[in-house]
mmCIF file with all atom_site columns, all heavy atoms in Angstrom:
data_model
loop_
_atom_site.group_PDB
_atom_site.id
_atom_site.type_symbol
_atom_site.label_atom_id
_atom_site.label_alt_id
_atom_site.label_comp_id
_atom_site.label_asym_id
_atom_site.label_entity_id
_atom_site.label_seq_id
_atom_site.pdbx_PDB_ins_code
_atom_site.Cartn_x
_atom_site.Cartn_y
_atom_site.Cartn_z
_atom_site.occupancy
_atom_site.B_iso_or_equiv
_atom_site.pdbx_formal_charge
_atom_site.auth_seq_id
_atom_site.auth_comp_id
_atom_site.auth_asym_id
_atom_site.auth_atom_id
_atom_site.pdbx_PDB_model_num
ATOM 1   N N   . GLY A 1 1  ? 117.114 81.574  110.162 1.00 96.00 ? 3  GLY A N   1
ATOM 2   C CA  . GLY A 1 1  ? 118.295 80.792  109.826 1.00 96.00 ? 3  GLY A CA  1
ATOM 3   C C   . GLY A 1 1  ? 119.140 81.394  108.727 1.00 96.00 ? 3  GLY A C   1
ATOM 4   O O   . GLY A 1 1  ? 120.364 81.305  108.760 1.00 96.00 ? 3  GLY A O   1
ATOM 5   N N   . SER A 1 2  ? 118.505 82.014  107.723 1.00 96.00 ? 4  SER A N   1
ATOM 6   C CA  . SER A 1 2  ? 119.272 82.582  106.612 1.00 96.00 ? 4  SER A CA  1
ATOM 7   C C   . SER A 1 2  ? 119.610 84.053  106.823 1.00 96.00 ? 4  SER A C   1
ATOM 8   O O   . SER A 1 2  ? 120.563 84.551  106.237 1.00 96.00 ? 4  SER A O   1
ATOM 9   C CB  . SER A 1 2  ? 118.524 82.395  105.284 1.00 96.00 ? 4  SER A CB  1
ATOM 10  O OG  . SER A 1 2  ? 117.305 83.098  105.296 1.00 96.00 ? 4  SER A OG  1
ATOM 11  N N   . CYS A 1 3  ? 118.855 84.742  107.627 1.00 97.00 ? 5  CYS A N   1
ATOM 12  C CA  . CYS A 1 3  ? 119.098 86.157  107.919 1.00 97.00 ? 5  CYS A CA  1
ATOM 13  C C   . CYS A 1 3  ? 119.557 86.260  109.375 1.00 97.00 ? 5  CYS A C   1
ATOM 14  O O   . CYS A 1 3  ? 118.843 86.778  110.238 1.00 97.00 ? 5  CYS A O   1
ATOM 15  C CB  . CYS A 1 3  ? 117.840 86.983  107.694 1.00 97.00 ? 5  CYS A CB  1
ATOM 16  S SG  . CYS A 1 3  ? 117.150 86.862  106.030 1.00 97.00 ? 5  CYS A SG  1
ATOM 17  N N   . VAL A 1 4  ? 120.750 85.746  109.639 1.00 95.00 ? 6  VAL A N   1
ATOM 18  C CA  . VAL A 1 4  ? 121.195 85.613  111.026 1.00 95.00 ? 6  VAL A CA  1
ATOM 19  C C   . VAL A 1 4  ? 121.617 86.937  111.657 1.00 95.00 ? 6  VAL A C   1
ATOM 20  O O   . VAL A 1 4  ? 121.569 87.080  112.870 1.00 95.00 ? 6  VAL A O   1
ATOM 21  C CB  . VAL A 1 4  ? 122.338 84.581  111.158 1.00 95.00 ? 6  VAL A CB  1
ATOM 22  C CG1 . VAL A 1 4  ? 121.832 83.197  110.792 1.00 95.00 ? 6  VAL A CG1 1
ATOM 23  C CG2 . VAL A 1 4  ? 123.529 84.964  110.295 1.00 95.00 ? 6  VAL A CG2 1
ATOM 24  N N   . LYS A 1 5  ? 122.005 87.912  110.827 1.00 96.00 ? 7  LYS A N   1
ATOM 25  C CA  . LYS A 1 5  ? 122.422 89.201  111.385 1.00 96.00 ? 7  LYS A CA  1
ATOM 26  C C   . LYS A 1 5  ? 121.210 90.013  111.823 1.00 96.00 ? 7  LYS A C   1
ATOM 27  O O   . LYS A 1 5  ? 120.301 90.263  111.030 1.00 96.00 ? 7  LYS A O   1
ATOM 28  C CB  . LYS A 1 5  ? 123.202 90.014  110.361 1.00 96.00 ? 7  LYS A CB  1
ATOM 29  C CG  . LYS A 1 5  ? 124.627 89.615  110.193 1.00 96.00 ? 7  LYS A CG  1
ATOM 30  C CD  . LYS A 1 5  ? 125.291 90.582  109.258 1.00 96.00 ? 7  LYS A CD  1
ATOM 31  C CE  . LYS A 1 5  ? 126.728 90.736  109.666 1.00 96.00 ? 7  LYS A CE  1
ATOM 32  N NZ  . LYS A 1 5  ? 127.396 91.723  108.829 1.00 96.00 ? 7  LYS A NZ  1
ATOM 33  N N   . ILE A 1 6  ? 121.190 90.417  113.075 1.00 98.00 ? 8  ILE A N   1
ATOM 34  C CA  . ILE A 1 6  ? 120.154 91.328  113.561 1.00 98.00 ? 8  ILE A CA  1
ATOM 35  C C   . ILE A 1 6  ? 120.737 92.726  113.423 1.00 98.00 ? 8  ILE A C   1
ATOM 36  O O   . ILE A 1 6  ? 121.680 93.085  114.125 1.00 98.00 ? 8  ILE A O   1
ATOM 37  C CB  . ILE A 1 6  ? 119.766 90.998  115.012 1.00 98.00 ? 8  ILE A CB  1
ATOM 38  C CG1 . ILE A 1 6  ? 119.153 89.595  115.066 1.00 98.00 ? 8  ILE A CG1 1
ATOM 39  C CG2 . ILE A 1 6  ? 118.800 92.049  115.557 1.00 98.00 ? 8  ILE A CG2 1
ATOM 40  C CD1 . ILE A 1 6  ? 118.915 89.070  116.451 1.00 98.00 ? 8  ILE A CD1 1
ATOM 41  N N   . VAL A 1 7  ? 120.213 93.495  112.469 1.00 98.00 ? 9  VAL A N   1
ATOM 42  C CA  . VAL A 1 7  ? 120.770 94.811  112.173 1.00 98.00 ? 9  VAL A CA  1
ATOM 43  C C   . VAL A 1 7  ? 120.125 95.916  112.997 1.00 98.00 ? 9  VAL A C   1
ATOM 44  O O   . VAL A 1 7  ? 120.635 97.030  113.041 1.00 98.00 ? 9  VAL A O   1
ATOM 45  C CB  . VAL A 1 7  ? 120.701 95.133  110.658 1.00 98.00 ? 9  VAL A CB  1
ATOM 46  C CG1 . VAL A 1 7  ? 121.564 94.153  109.864 1.00 98.00 ? 9  VAL A CG1 1
ATOM 47  C CG2 . VAL A 1 7  ? 119.266 95.099  110.139 1.00 98.00 ? 9  VAL A CG2 1
ATOM 48  N N   . ALA A 1 8  ? 118.985 95.609  113.639 1.00 98.00 ? 10 ALA A N   1
ATOM 49  C CA  . ALA A 1 8  ? 118.311 96.576  114.511 1.00 98.00 ? 10 ALA A CA  1
ATOM 50  C C   . ALA A 1 8  ? 117.261 95.832  115.327 1.00 98.00 ? 10 ALA A C   1
ATOM 51  O O   . ALA A 1 8  ? 116.842 94.734  114.969 1.00 98.00 ? 10 ALA A O   1
ATOM 52  C CB  . ALA A 1 8  ? 117.643 97.680  113.693 1.00 98.00 ? 10 ALA A CB  1
ATOM 53  N N   . THR A 1 9  ? 116.871 96.432  116.430 1.00 98.00 ? 11 THR A N   1
ATOM 54  C CA  . THR A 1 9  ? 115.738 95.961  117.226 1.00 98.00 ? 11 THR A CA  1
ATOM 55  C C   . THR A 1 9  ? 114.838 97.171  117.427 1.00 98.00 ? 11 THR A C   1
ATOM 56  O O   . THR A 1 9  ? 115.306 98.219  117.871 1.00 98.00 ? 11 THR A O   1
ATOM 57  C CB  . THR A 1 9  ? 116.208 95.388  118.577 1.00 98.00 ? 11 THR A CB  1
ATOM 58  O OG1 . THR A 1 9  ? 117.101 94.301  118.316 1.00 98.00 ? 11 THR A OG1 1
ATOM 59  C CG2 . THR A 1 9  ? 115.040 94.876  119.384 1.00 98.00 ? 11 THR A CG2 1
ATOM 60  N N   . VAL A 1 10 ? 113.562 97.036  117.059 1.00 98.00 ? 12 VAL A N   1
ATOM 61  C CA  . VAL A 1 10 ? 112.647 98.181  117.081 1.00 98.00 ? 12 VAL A CA  1
ATOM 62  C C   . VAL A 1 10 ? 111.412 97.869  117.910 1.00 98.00 ? 12 VAL A C   1
ATOM 63  O O   . VAL A 1 10 ? 111.069 96.705  118.125 1.00 98.00 ? 12 VAL A O   1
ATOM 64  C CB  . VAL A 1 10 ? 112.242 98.594  115.649 1.00 98.00 ? 12 VAL A CB  1
ATOM 65  C CG1 . VAL A 1 10 ? 113.448 99.069  114.864 1.00 98.00 ? 12 VAL A CG1 1
ATOM 66  C CG2 . VAL A 1 10 ? 111.556 97.457  114.920 1.00 98.00 ? 12 VAL A CG2 1
ATOM 67  N N   . SER A 1 11 ? 110.741 98.906  118.366 1.00 98.00 ? 13 SER A N   1
ATOM 68  C CA  . SER A 1 11 ? 109.510 98.780  119.143 1.00 98.00 ? 13 SER A CA  1
ATOM 69  C C   . SER A 1 11 ? 108.534 99.871  118.735 1.00 98.00 ? 13 SER A C   1
ATOM 70  O O   . SER A 1 11 ? 108.904 101.048 118.685 1.00 98.00 ? 13 SER A O   1
ATOM 71  C CB  . SER A 1 11 ? 109.812 98.927  120.636 1.00 98.00 ? 13 SER A CB  1
ATOM 72  O OG  . SER A 1 11 ? 110.664 97.926  121.094 1.00 98.00 ? 13 SER A OG  1
ATOM 73  N N   . ARG A 1 12 ? 107.312 99.448  118.436 1.00 98.00 ? 14 ARG A N   1
ATOM 74  C CA  . ARG A 1 12 ? 106.218 100.391 118.170 1.00 98.00 ? 14 ARG A CA  1
ATOM 75  C C   . ARG A 1 12 ? 106.677 101.609 117.375 1.00 98.00 ? 14 ARG A C   1
ATOM 76  O O   . ARG A 1 12 ? 106.678 102.730 117.875 1.00 98.00 ? 14 ARG A O   1
ATOM 77  C CB  . ARG A 1 12 ? 105.574 100.802 119.476 1.00 98.00 ? 14 ARG A CB  1
ATOM 78  C CG  . ARG A 1 12 ? 104.938 99.637  120.181 1.00 98.00 ? 14 ARG A CG  1
ATOM 79  C CD  . ARG A 1 12 ? 104.230 100.052 121.443 1.00 98.00 ? 14 ARG A CD  1
ATOM 80  N NE  . ARG A 1 12 ? 103.671 98.867  122.067 1.00 98.00 ? 14 ARG A NE  1
ATOM 81  C CZ  . ARG A 1 12 ? 103.680 98.644  123.362 1.00 98.00 ? 14 ARG A CZ  1
ATOM 82  N NH1 . ARG A 1 12 ? 104.170 99.536  124.184 1.00 98.00 ? 14 ARG A NH1 1
ATOM 83  N NH2 . ARG A 1 12 ? 103.171 97.533  123.848 1.00 98.00 ? 14 ARG A NH2 1
ATOM 84  N N   . THR A 1 13 ? 107.016 101.366 116.129 1.00 98.00 ? 15 THR A N   1
ATOM 85  C CA  . THR A 1 13 ? 107.545 102.438 115.291 1.00 98.00 ? 15 THR A CA  1
ATOM 86  C C   . THR A 1 13 ? 107.064 102.289 113.859 1.00 98.00 ? 15 THR A C   1
ATOM 87  O O   . THR A 1 13 ? 106.565 101.239 113.465 1.00 98.00 ? 15 THR A O   1
ATOM 88  C CB  . THR A 1 13 ? 109.092 102.446 115.338 1.00 98.00 ? 15 THR A CB  1
ATOM 89  O OG1 . THR A 1 13 ? 109.571 103.624 114.707 1.00 98.00 ? 15 THR A OG1 1
ATOM 90  C CG2 . THR A 1 13 ? 109.688 101.230 114.653 1.00 98.00 ? 15 THR A CG2 1
ATOM 91  N N   . ARG A 1 14 ? 107.217 103.331 113.098 1.00 98.00 ? 16 ARG A N   1
ATOM 92  C CA  . ARG A 1 14 ? 106.892 103.313 111.670 1.00 98.00 ? 16 ARG A CA  1
ATOM 93  C C   . ARG A 1 14 ? 108.163 103.074 110.877 1.00 98.00 ? 16 ARG A C   1
ATOM 94  O O   . ARG A 1 14 ? 109.250 103.454 111.297 1.00 98.00 ? 16 ARG A O   1
ATOM 95  C CB  . ARG A 1 14 ? 106.270 104.639 111.231 1.00 98.00 ? 16 ARG A CB  1
ATOM 96  C CG  . ARG A 1 14 ? 104.888 104.825 111.789 1.00 98.00 ? 16 ARG A CG  1
ATOM 97  C CD  . ARG A 1 14 ? 104.018 105.666 110.850 1.00 98.00 ? 16 ARG A CD  1
ATOM 98  N NE  . ARG A 1 14 ? 102.620 105.468 111.171 1.00 98.00 ? 16 ARG A NE  1
ATOM 99  C CZ  . ARG A 1 14 ? 101.854 104.506 110.674 1.00 98.00 ? 16 ARG A CZ  1
ATOM 100 N NH1 . ARG A 1 14 ? 102.335 103.651 109.822 1.00 98.00 ? 16 ARG A NH1 1
ATOM 101 N NH2 . ARG A 1 14 ? 100.591 104.397 111.027 1.00 98.00 ? 16 ARG A NH2 1
ATOM 102 N N   . ALA A 1 15 ? 107.987 102.443 109.732 1.00 98.00 ? 17 ALA A N   1
ATOM 103 C CA  . ALA A 1 15 ? 109.086 102.200 108.798 1.00 98.00 ? 17 ALA A CA  1
ATOM 104 C C   . ALA A 1 15 ? 108.498 102.193 107.395 1.00 98.00 ? 17 ALA A C   1
ATOM 105 O O   . ALA A 1 15 ? 107.272 102.225 107.232 1.00 98.00 ? 17 ALA A O   1
ATOM 106 C CB  . ALA A 1 15 ? 109.762 100.872 109.102 1.00 98.00 ? 17 ALA A CB  1
ATOM 107 N N   . GLU A 1 16 ? 109.359 102.172 106.405 1.00 98.00 ? 18 GLU A N   1
ATOM 108 C CA  . GLU A 1 16 ? 108.907 102.113 105.021 1.00 98.00 ? 18 GLU A CA  1
ATOM 109 C C   . GLU A 1 16 ? 108.970 100.666 104.554 1.00 98.00 ? 18 GLU A C   1
ATOM 110 O O   . GLU A 1 16 ? 110.035 100.045 104.601 1.00 98.00 ? 18 GLU A O   1
ATOM 111 C CB  . GLU A 1 16 ? 109.777 102.990 104.137 1.00 98.00 ? 18 GLU A CB  1
ATOM 112 C CG  . GLU A 1 16 ? 109.668 104.462 104.465 1.00 98.00 ? 18 GLU A CG  1
ATOM 113 C CD  . GLU A 1 16 ? 110.583 105.309 103.606 1.00 98.00 ? 18 GLU A CD  1
ATOM 114 O OE1 . GLU A 1 16 ? 110.768 104.976 102.415 1.00 98.00 ? 18 GLU A OE1 1
ATOM 115 O OE2 . GLU A 1 16 ? 111.115 106.294 104.130 1.00 98.00 ? 18 GLU A OE2 1
ATOM 116 N N   . GLY A 1 17 ? 107.843 100.125 104.116 1.00 98.00 ? 19 GLY A N   1
ATOM 117 C CA  . GLY A 1 17 ? 107.798 98.775  103.568 1.00 98.00 ? 19 GLY A CA  1
ATOM 118 C C   . GLY A 1 17 ? 108.170 98.823  102.102 1.00 98.00 ? 19 GLY A C   1
ATOM 119 O O   . GLY A 1 17 ? 107.442 99.395  101.296 1.00 98.00 ? 19 GLY A O   1
ATOM 120 N N   . ILE A 1 18 ? 109.312 98.253  101.745 1.00 97.00 ? 20 ILE A N   1
ATOM 121 C CA  . ILE A 1 18 ? 109.793 98.272  100.362 1.00 97.00 ? 20 ILE A CA  1
ATOM 122 C C   . ILE A 1 18 ? 109.081 97.201  99.544  1.00 97.00 ? 20 ILE A C   1
ATOM 123 O O   . ILE A 1 18 ? 108.563 97.457  98.469  1.00 97.00 ? 20 ILE A O   1
ATOM 124 C CB  . ILE A 1 18 ? 111.318 98.086  100.317 1.00 97.00 ? 20 ILE A CB  1
ATOM 125 C CG1 . ILE A 1 18 ? 111.997 99.257  101.030 1.00 97.00 ? 20 ILE A CG1 1
ATOM 126 C CG2 . ILE A 1 18 ? 111.811 97.951  98.885  1.00 97.00 ? 20 ILE A CG2 1
ATOM 127 C CD1 . ILE A 1 18 ? 113.479 99.071  101.288 1.00 97.00 ? 20 ILE A CD1 1
ATOM 128 N N   . CYS A 1 19 ? 109.073 95.967  100.063 1.00 97.00 ? 21 CYS A N   1
ATOM 129 C CA  . CYS A 1 19 ? 108.369 94.866  99.400  1.00 97.00 ? 21 CYS A CA  1
ATOM 130 C C   . CYS A 1 19 ? 108.218 93.723  100.392 1.00 97.00 ? 21 CYS A C   1
ATOM 131 O O   . CYS A 1 19 ? 108.823 93.751  101.472 1.00 97.00 ? 21 CYS A O   1
ATOM 132 C CB  . CYS A 1 19 ? 109.110 94.406  98.139  1.00 97.00 ? 21 CYS A CB  1
ATOM 133 S SG  . CYS A 1 19 ? 110.736 93.676  98.412  1.00 97.00 ? 21 CYS A SG  1
ATOM 134 N N   . GLN A 1 20 ? 107.392 92.727  100.045 1.00 97.00 ? 22 GLN A N   1
ATOM 135 C CA  . GLN A 1 20 ? 107.199 91.578  100.932 1.00 97.00 ? 22 GLN A CA  1
ATOM 136 C C   . GLN A 1 20 ? 107.377 90.287  100.152 1.00 97.00 ? 22 GLN A C   1
ATOM 137 O O   . GLN A 1 20 ? 107.147 90.240  98.937  1.00 97.00 ? 22 GLN A O   1
ATOM 138 C CB  . GLN A 1 20 ? 105.861 91.650  101.652 1.00 97.00 ? 22 GLN A CB  1
ATOM 139 C CG  . GLN A 1 20 ? 104.642 91.832  100.796 1.00 97.00 ? 22 GLN A CG  1
ATOM 140 C CD  . GLN A 1 20 ? 103.409 92.157  101.616 1.00 97.00 ? 22 GLN A CD  1
ATOM 141 O OE1 . GLN A 1 20 ? 103.272 91.797  102.774 1.00 97.00 ? 22 GLN A OE1 1
ATOM 142 N NE2 . GLN A 1 20 ? 102.463 92.848  100.995 1.00 97.00 ? 22 GLN A NE2 1
ATOM 143 N N   . HIS A 1 21 ? 107.822 89.246  100.882 1.00 97.00 ? 23 HIS A N   1
ATOM 144 C CA  . HIS A 1 21 ? 108.177 87.978  100.249 1.00 97.00 ? 23 HIS A CA  1
ATOM 145 C C   . HIS A 1 21 ? 107.910 86.833  101.232 1.00 97.00 ? 23 HIS A C   1
ATOM 146 O O   . HIS A 1 21 ? 108.132 87.003  102.433 1.00 97.00 ? 23 HIS A O   1
ATOM 147 C CB  . HIS A 1 21 ? 109.671 88.020  99.884  1.00 97.00 ? 23 HIS A CB  1
ATOM 148 C CG  . HIS A 1 21 ? 110.105 86.946  98.961  1.00 97.00 ? 23 HIS A CG  1
ATOM 149 N ND1 . HIS A 1 21 ? 109.722 86.883  97.648  1.00 97.00 ? 23 HIS A ND1 1
ATOM 150 C CD2 . HIS A 1 21 ? 110.911 85.883  99.162  1.00 97.00 ? 23 HIS A CD2 1
ATOM 151 C CE1 . HIS A 1 21 ? 110.280 85.828  97.079  1.00 97.00 ? 23 HIS A CE1 1
ATOM 152 N NE2 . HIS A 1 21 ? 111.009 85.197  97.988  1.00 97.00 ? 23 HIS A NE2 1
ATOM 153 N N   . PRO A 1 22 ? 107.452 85.681  100.747 1.00 98.00 ? 24 PRO A N   1
ATOM 154 C CA  . PRO A 1 22 ? 107.242 84.565  101.662 1.00 98.00 ? 24 PRO A CA  1
ATOM 155 C C   . PRO A 1 22 ? 108.566 83.981  102.146 1.00 98.00 ? 24 PRO A C   1
ATOM 156 O O   . PRO A 1 22 ? 109.560 83.981  101.418 1.00 98.00 ? 24 PRO A O   1
ATOM 157 C CB  . PRO A 1 22 ? 106.462 83.547  100.827 1.00 98.00 ? 24 PRO A CB  1
ATOM 158 C CG  . PRO A 1 22 ? 106.729 83.900  99.410  1.00 98.00 ? 24 PRO A CG  1
ATOM 159 C CD  . PRO A 1 22 ? 107.022 85.367  99.383  1.00 98.00 ? 24 PRO A CD  1
ATOM 160 N N   . GLY A 1 23 ? 108.574 83.503  103.379 1.00 98.00 ? 25 GLY A N   1
ATOM 161 C CA  . GLY A 1 23 ? 109.762 82.896  103.966 1.00 98.00 ? 25 GLY A CA  1
ATOM 162 C C   . GLY A 1 23 ? 109.357 81.976  105.096 1.00 98.00 ? 25 GLY A C   1
ATOM 163 O O   . GLY A 1 23 ? 108.277 81.382  105.076 1.00 98.00 ? 25 GLY A O   1
ATOM 164 N N   . GLU A 1 24 ? 110.214 81.892  106.112 1.00 98.00 ? 26 GLU A N   1
ATOM 165 C CA  . GLU A 1 24 ? 109.950 81.029  107.262 1.00 98.00 ? 26 GLU A CA  1
ATOM 166 C C   . GLU A 1 24 ? 108.648 81.441  107.957 1.00 98.00 ? 26 GLU A C   1
ATOM 167 O O   . GLU A 1 24 ? 108.406 82.620  108.193 1.00 98.00 ? 26 GLU A O   1
ATOM 168 C CB  . GLU A 1 24 ? 111.101 81.139  108.261 1.00 98.00 ? 26 GLU A CB  1
ATOM 169 C CG  . GLU A 1 24 ? 110.861 80.386  109.547 1.00 98.00 ? 26 GLU A CG  1
ATOM 170 C CD  . GLU A 1 24 ? 111.906 80.667  110.621 1.00 98.00 ? 26 GLU A CD  1
ATOM 171 O OE1 . GLU A 1 24 ? 112.681 81.647  110.496 1.00 98.00 ? 26 GLU A OE1 1
ATOM 172 O OE2 . GLU A 1 24 ? 111.919 79.922  111.602 1.00 98.00 ? 26 GLU A OE2 1
ATOM 173 N N   . GLU A 1 25 ? 107.834 80.462  108.289 1.00 98.00 ? 27 GLU A N   1
ATOM 174 C CA  . GLU A 1 25 ? 106.614 80.750  109.039 1.00 98.00 ? 27 GLU A CA  1
ATOM 175 C C   . GLU A 1 25 ? 106.970 81.002  110.505 1.00 98.00 ? 27 GLU A C   1
ATOM 176 O O   . GLU A 1 25 ? 107.648 80.202  111.131 1.00 98.00 ? 27 GLU A O   1
ATOM 177 C CB  . GLU A 1 25 ? 105.625 79.596  108.945 1.00 98.00 ? 27 GLU A CB  1
ATOM 178 C CG  . GLU A 1 25 ? 104.320 79.888  109.658 1.00 98.00 ? 27 GLU A CG  1
ATOM 179 C CD  . GLU A 1 25 ? 103.312 78.782  109.503 1.00 98.00 ? 27 GLU A CD  1
ATOM 180 O OE1 . GLU A 1 25 ? 103.537 77.691  110.077 1.00 98.00 ? 27 GLU A OE1 1
ATOM 181 O OE2 . GLU A 1 25 ? 102.315 79.004  108.802 1.00 98.00 ? 27 GLU A OE2 1
ATOM 182 N N   . ILE A 1 26 ? 106.506 82.128  111.027 1.00 98.00 ? 28 ILE A N   1
ATOM 183 C CA  . ILE A 1 26 ? 106.720 82.490  112.420 1.00 98.00 ? 28 ILE A CA  1
ATOM 184 C C   . ILE A 1 26 ? 105.398 82.293  113.162 1.00 98.00 ? 28 ILE A C   1
ATOM 185 O O   . ILE A 1 26 ? 104.335 82.664  112.660 1.00 98.00 ? 28 ILE A O   1
ATOM 186 C CB  . ILE A 1 26 ? 107.198 83.960  112.546 1.00 98.00 ? 28 ILE A CB  1
ATOM 187 C CG1 . ILE A 1 26 ? 108.515 84.168  111.792 1.00 98.00 ? 28 ILE A CG1 1
ATOM 188 C CG2 . ILE A 1 26 ? 107.314 84.370  114.007 1.00 98.00 ? 28 ILE A CG2 1
ATOM 189 C CD1 . ILE A 1 26 ? 109.691 83.372  112.323 1.00 98.00 ? 28 ILE A CD1 1
ATOM 190 N N   . VAL A 1 27 ? 105.477 81.716  114.351 1.00 97.00 ? 29 VAL A N   1
ATOM 191 C CA  . VAL A 1 27 ? 104.303 81.503  115.197 1.00 97.00 ? 29 VAL A CA  1
ATOM 192 C C   . VAL A 1 27 ? 104.549 82.263  116.493 1.00 97.00 ? 29 VAL A C   1
ATOM 193 O O   . VAL A 1 27 ? 105.581 82.093  117.137 1.00 97.00 ? 29 VAL A O   1
ATOM 194 C CB  . VAL A 1 27 ? 104.075 80.002  115.492 1.00 97.00 ? 29 VAL A CB  1
ATOM 195 C CG1 . VAL A 1 27 ? 102.885 79.817  116.403 1.00 97.00 ? 29 VAL A CG1 1
ATOM 196 C CG2 . VAL A 1 27 ? 103.920 79.219  114.198 1.00 97.00 ? 29 VAL A CG2 1
ATOM 197 N N   . ASP A 1 28 ? 103.604 83.147  116.853 1.00 96.00 ? 30 ASP A N   1
ATOM 198 C CA  . ASP A 1 28 ? 103.744 83.941  118.075 1.00 96.00 ? 30 ASP A CA  1
ATOM 199 C C   . ASP A 1 28 ? 102.359 84.364  118.544 1.00 96.00 ? 30 ASP A C   1
ATOM 200 O O   . ASP A 1 28 ? 101.554 84.858  117.742 1.00 96.00 ? 30 ASP A O   1
ATOM 201 C CB  . ASP A 1 28 ? 104.620 85.162  117.806 1.00 96.00 ? 30 ASP A CB  1
ATOM 202 C CG  . ASP A 1 28 ? 105.080 85.869  119.079 1.00 96.00 ? 30 ASP A CG  1
ATOM 203 O OD1 . ASP A 1 28 ? 104.733 85.406  120.189 1.00 96.00 ? 30 ASP A OD1 1
ATOM 204 O OD2 . ASP A 1 28 ? 105.786 86.878  118.962 1.00 96.00 ? 30 ASP A OD2 1
ATOM 205 N N   . GLY A 1 29 ? 102.082 84.179  119.817 1.00 92.00 ? 31 GLY A N   1
ATOM 206 C CA  . GLY A 1 29 ? 100.823 84.621  120.407 1.00 92.00 ? 31 GLY A CA  1
ATOM 207 C C   . GLY A 1 29 ? 99.591  84.024  119.762 1.00 92.00 ? 31 GLY A C   1
ATOM 208 O O   . GLY A 1 29 ? 98.555  84.684  119.683 1.00 92.00 ? 31 GLY A O   1
#
């Protein structure tokens, strides 16, 4: 809801994790 812009869509890839923060709980699988 607050990050409505999708700036990329990725699949099975590596990225650099800068930091992590709690937010909306996602439920999947």
Side-chain angles (χ1 to χ4, degrees):
S4 63
C5 303
V6 295
K7 281 185 147 183
I8 297 171
V9 296
T11 301
V12 296
S13 298
R14 297 183 181 140
T15 190
R16 290 210 161 273
E18 295 178 36
I20 297 169
C21 65
Q22 53 191 333
H23 194 69
E26 174 189 14
E27 183 177 69
I28 300 297
V29 178
D30 193 1

